[in-house]
Amino acid sequence: MKNFSLTTVELSPLADGEILVRNHWMSVDPYMRGRMKQGDSYVPAFKIGEPLEGGCIGEVIESNNDRFAVGDQVLGNLGWREYWNSDGEGVQILDPELAPIQAYLGALGMTGMTAWVGLKRIAALQPGSTVFVSAASGAVGSMVCQIAKANGCKVIGSAGKDEKIQWLKEKAGVDAVINYKTTDDLSKELGKLAPDGIDVYFDNVGSVHLEAAIDHMKAFGCVVCCGMISTYNATEPASAPRNLFKVIGKRLRLQGFIVRDHTTDREEFLRDVSTLIRDDKVVWEDTITDGLENAPKAFIGLFEGDNLGKALVRISKEGQ
Ligand SMILES: NC(=O)c1ccc[n+]([C@@H]2O[C@H](COP(=O)([O-])OP(=O)(O)OC[C@H]3O[C@@H](n4cnc5c(N)ncnc54)[C@H](OP(=O)(O)O)[C@@H]3O)[C@@H](O)[C@H]2O)c1
C-alpha cells in the first residue's frame, strides 16, 4: 500500500472538442501488475509519479464535443482518478438498457471478451469438449465456464475458496470443481474428474495448474494461454510446468493471445454474450470496494483471492 499515493491536481480547462467525465466505476486487473515493473511487455510500464490508468466508466458532465451529450455513460481507460477530460478518442458511449452499467467492465467488457475470444477464436470450441478452467470464479474464468457450458461442453473449474466452489456449482452450473488450496495433488484430482482427458485448458494461472493440465490433455488438445497470475509477484522463475515435453507426444497447441488484438470481434462478442444474458445462461458477481482511496487494496486483493467475479472500485455512488 505504501507504494501508492492519493493526490489532488487541477484539471486543465476544457478545450474545444473535449469532454469532462466524472468516474463512477474503475476496474482493477491483474495485467496492471505487469505495468508496475520495467521490462519487456506488450504494454508500457506505468511511470512513477504519474496517475495509473485502467478501464473506467463515468458520466459526461460537460461536453464541447458533438459526439457526446451531458449525461452519457462512457467507457474509457482513465481509471484511478475521479475526473478526466479527453478529446473522445477511444471513448465509447454505453447502452445502459441491457445490464447495470458496471457490467461493461466485466461480463460485457474486457474480461468477458477475453473469455469469449479465448474460447471462440483461440480454442475454436466444439460442443461436447471437456474444458478445464483455472481461476474459474474470477472475472474471466466465470465467463469461460458459462460460455463453455452454453456451448454444450463439460466444464471443470479450479478455485481457491469454498464459497467460490459453491458459486461455481450452484450459480455457474459447472460440472466439477477443485479447491486447489485444499487438494494434496492437483494433477491426480484432475485425472479423477476428467478420466477421458481434457480437450481445452483455459489457463489463467500458469505453473502447477498448467503442469496438471498438460498431464491430462487429450492428443491434439489446445491450451489457451490467457494469463499466469501465480507468477506475477514471483521474484524467481516458476518451478512448474516440468512436463512440457508431453506437448510433443500429445501434439498439443499452446497459444497465447491478448484481447486487445481482437477489437474487430467486439460487435460479435457483444451480440453473443447479450443473447446469453437475455436467455439467463450467464450470471455474474461483482466484488465491490468503495472509494478511490481503497483502490490499491482492491488491486492487491486480486493476488490474495479476495474477489468472486469481477473486482471493481466504486468511485462515486451517483453512478448507480
Ligand atoms: N490475455 C488477455 O488478453 C487477458 C485479459 C484479461 C485477463 N487476463 C488474465 O486472465 C487471468 C484472470 O484475470 P481476471 O481479471 O479474471 O482476474 P480474476 O480471476 O478475477 O482475479 C484473480 C484470481 O486469481 C486467483 N489467483 C490469484 N493468485 C493465484 C495463485 N498464486 N494461484 C492460483 N490462483 C491465483 C484468485 O482466485 P482463487 O481464489 O481461485 O485463487 C483471484 O481471485 C489473469 O491471469 C489475467 O492476467 C488476460
Side-chain angles (χ1 to χ4, degrees):
M1 219 71 91
K2 62 181 177 354
N3 295 313
F4 294 83
S5 68
L6 192 62
T7 307
T8 303
V9 294
E10 286 276 319
L11 281 177
S12 52
L14 214 58
D16 231 21
E18 285 194 334
I19 50 172
L20 176 63
V21 177
R22 180 178 188 189
N23 268 344
H24 293 312
W25 295 94
M26 62 166 263
S27 176
V28 284
D29 295 277
Y31 79 85
M32 293 170 177
R33 182 66 185 85
R35 298 191 67 182
M36 292 176 188
K37 44 191 169 191
Q38 298 297 334
D40 248 6
S41 175
Y42 63 97
V43 264
F46 291 128
K47 293 201 174 81
I48 292 172
E50 289 191 13
L52 303 180
E53 295 170 358
C56 62
I57 287 171
E59 186 175 337
V60 176
I61 56 171
E62 243 183 279
S63 176
N64 285 344
N65 182 317
D66 291 345
R67 195 160 75 84
F68 299 90
V70 169
D72 281 349
Q73 303 276 356
V74 292
L75 175 70
N77 197 42
L78 291 174
W80 295 90
R81 68 200 77 196
E82 290 175 312
Y83 295 91
W84 44 278
N85 46 28
S86 154
D87 61 7
E89 202 189 321
V91 178
Q92 287 160 19
I93 300 171
L94 300 173
D95 170 9
E97 296 300 316
L98 184 63
I101 206 78
Q102 65 272 28
Y104 288 93
L105 291 173
L108 289 170
M110 186 273 280
T111 52
M113 182 152 165
T114 301
W116 186 91
V117 167
L119 288 176
K120 295 277 180 166
R121 295 289 182 259
I122 309 300
L125 191 68
Q126 298 298 319
S129 298
T130 297
V131 179
F132 174 47
V133 190
S134 53
S137 73
V140 173
S142 60
M143 291 299 288
V144 174
C145 290
Q146 296 175 89
I147 295 170
K149 281 305 298 173
N151 282 274
C153 297
K154 172 181 170 179
V155 177
I156 302 167
S158 144
K161 277 188 183 159
D162 286 344
E163 56 158 318
K164 297 183 176 186
I165 305 288
Q166 197 177 344
W167 185 87
L168 284 163
K169 284 187 186 156
E170 291 173 10
K171 298 281 169 60
V174 166
D175 298 283
V177 195
I178 304 171
N179 184 334
Y180 74 92
K181 287 192 176 156
T182 56
T183 186
D184 293 335
D185 187 335
L186 182 61
S187 177
K188 201 165 151 195
E189 191 66 23
L190 187 57
K192 279 193 228 155
L193 296 176
D196 300 325
I198 297 161
D199 298 284
V200 174
Y201 169 46
F202 198 106
D203 191 17
N204 289 315
V205 163
S207 53
V208 177
H209 275 83
L210 178 55
E211 182 172 301
I214 289 172
D215 277 344
H216 298 286
M217 293 300 293
K218 288 186 193 169
F220 301 102
C222 173
V223 177
V224 179
C225 300
C226 173
M228 298 199 176
I229 193 167
S230 69
T231 67
Y232 296 176
N233 286 322
T235 49
E236 298 290 327
S239 54
R242 296 162 295 181
N243 56 354
L244 268 180
F245 66 94
K246 291 189 183 172
V247 167
I248 303 161
K250 294 186 179 211
R251 285 83 110 202
L252 300 181
R253 179 163 62 91
L254 278 70
Q255 189 174 335
F257 74 104
I258 299 294
V259 66
R260 69 174 194 186
D261 293 339
H262 296 263
T263 46
T264 52
D265 283 329
R266 186 164 181 269
E267 291 308 313
E268 191 179 341
F269 150 71
L270 280 176
R271 261 200 316 275
D272 230 25
V273 172
S274 309
T275 307
L276 293 178
I277 293 172
R278 281 197 203 97
D279 294 348
D280 290 329
K281 295 211 163 126
V282 163
V283 293
W284 64 87
E285 296 288 330
D286 295 327
T287 296
I288 297 172
T289 301
D290 275 307
L292 180 59
E293 66 282 9
N294 294 317
K297 185 171 174 291
F299 170 69
I300 292 165
L302 291 168
F303 302 89
E304 291 165 358
D306 287 352
N307 61 305
L308 170 61
K310 181 74 193 101
L312 293 172
V313 178
R314 183 162 42 198
I315 298 177
S316 140
K317 292 207 169 163
E318 285 166 40
Q320 298 184 82

